[in-house]
Amino acid sequence: MSDQNTSEQKQFEEFLAFQQGVIDEFRANDGKVGGMFEGSTLCLITTTGARTGRPRTQPLGLMQVDGQDLVVASAGGAPTHPAWYHNIRKNPIVTVEKGSRTFRAIASIPPGEERDGLFAQIVAQEPGYGEYQKNTDRVIPVVVLHPVDLAPDRVKHLGDELVEVHDWLRGELKDLRRRIDDVVEGRAGDVAAAADTGDASVLARLRSHCLDFCHALHIHHAGEDIGAFPVLRDRFPALAPVLDRFAEEHKTVVELQNRIKALVEEFAPDRDDPVRLRAEVEDLASRLEAHFDEEERQLVTALNAMGPAPERG
């Protein structure tokens, strides 16, 4: 090993030892650290290593703007982002130690103008961050820490609203399946008789319900594709592959919807087999239920971190 490599390795080991000393002092004194950090507000952030998958704990300066906890990926004005920032871009769930409290949080990365506004307020509180920005060509990221383990309040958040919409769609899908079951299991004769006498109310209700459900599902998925998903991609880069997969699933659902709508619209009791229609709807139902479950598992925490749901008039 060259003398330069030996020197760099020694410096790195000294830095790790210094950092561990800060962590130990923080934990021993309910978040208070002396020396060069005397009077500063620090926190400890434990991320998951982007390459190793191992926990990595980092002491960081803790800022507050409008009641939000923030940390800054300044790395002292270094030319590259710190390792912990790359970690949250791959996995935004972190553990935060703040004073004597420890809690889980999801870390979001405000984009563009929102980042600039927050950074300006941070610099107003701690001008040193402005000096760090002058020393590097990269835009120093601001990271917002949203607690996810606090007792729930009475405010409905965007993730809660997603679950409500899914539950409503689940109910509508269940009703659609029930109406088709009625046709298949013992009531096909009633449908045929109604059609023969000109009383097509049974079929009309089935067609109307199918169209209403498919329209509502289309509106919901379009809203995700052009509204929620782009915002989530900006704030939580780790979710990008998941969001891409969900967007592809939306396209598959559209194909299934179109097939089902055609089957319902063209269904003739004296000609068509309702079992085929039920099979198509069961295929859609199983895919949708799996899709809803996975969306909720992957996105509810991130959506709730983005704030309250808008009031619906």
Side-chain angles (χ1 to χ4, degrees), residues 32 43 97 118 161 174 177 189 199-201 227 272 293 304:
K32 295 182 177 63
C43 67
E97 295 172 61
L118 290 172
E161 185 173 73
K174 182 178 180 180
R177 295 161 81 180
D199 178 10
S201 60
D272 298 320
D293 290 346
N304 278 346

Side-chain angles (χ1 to χ4, degrees), residues 159-280:
D160 305 322
E161 185 173 73
L162 176 72
V163 175
E164 285 189 5
V165 171
H166 282 177
D167 284 345
W168 182 82
L169 287 168
R170 287 179 178 111
E172 292 296 294
L173 184 58
K174 182 178 180 180
D175 193 29
L176 178 62
R177 295 161 81 180
R178 180 184 59 78
R179 290 174 186 273
I180 293 172
D181 284 343
D182 287 345
V183 174
V184 175
E185 297 171 1
R187 297 191 185 181
D190 295 339
V191 175
D196 288 341
T197 61
D199 178 10
S201 60
V202 176
L203 273 177
R205 285 195 296 270
L206 174 60
R207 288 167 178 159
S208 176
H209 190 86
C210 179
L211 289 173
D212 288 346
F213 170 76
C214 290
H215 178 70
L217 184 60
H218 170 74
I219 294 298
H220 171 59
H221 280 169
E224 289 184 327
D225 289 338
I226 66 175
F229 286 4
V231 174
L232 287 169
R233 276 191 184 90
D234 282 341
R235 292 175 182 271
F236 305 100
L239 292 178
V242 173
L243 296 169
D244 290 343
R245 175 161 56 84
F246 289 155
E248 286 302 311
E249 289 178 6
H250 290 177
K251 296 176 184 178
T252 302
V253 168
V254 168
E255 294 174 1
L256 283 168
Q257 284 178 227
N258 290 338
R259 288 212 308 267
I260 291 166
K261 282 193 291 186
L263 283 169
V264 170
E265 284 296 311
E266 298 168 6
F267 180 74
D270 57 347
R271 182 193 66 204
D272 298 320
D273 181 4
V275 173
R276 180 189 171 201
L277 176 59
R278 181 165 67 176
E280 292 277 0

Side-chain angles (χ1 to χ4, degrees), residues 110-187:
E113 293 182 2
E114 185 179 353
R115 174 266 172 204
D116 295 343
L118 290 172
F119 192 75
Q121 294 185 70
I122 288 169
V123 171
Q125 297 177 38
E126 293 288 346
Y129 286 111
E131 294 302 312
Y132 292 150
Q133 183 61 85
K134 291 177 183 177
N135 292 335
T136 182
D137 292 332
R138 68 185 174 93
V139 176
I140 292 177
V142 175
V143 175
V144 184
L145 304 172
H146 306 272
V148 297
D149 287 343
L150 300 181
D153 53 30
R154 295 187 179 183
V155 177
K156 182 171 69 175
H157 289 76
L158 291 169
D160 305 322
E161 185 173 73
L162 176 72
V163 175
E164 285 189 5
V165 171
H166 282 177
D167 284 345
W168 182 82
L169 287 168
R170 287 179 178 111
E172 292 296 294
L173 184 58
K174 182 178 180 180
D175 193 29
L176 178 62
R177 295 161 81 180
R178 180 184 59 78
R179 290 174 186 273
I180 293 172
D181 284 343
D182 287 345
V183 174
V184 175
E185 297 171 1
R187 297 191 185 181

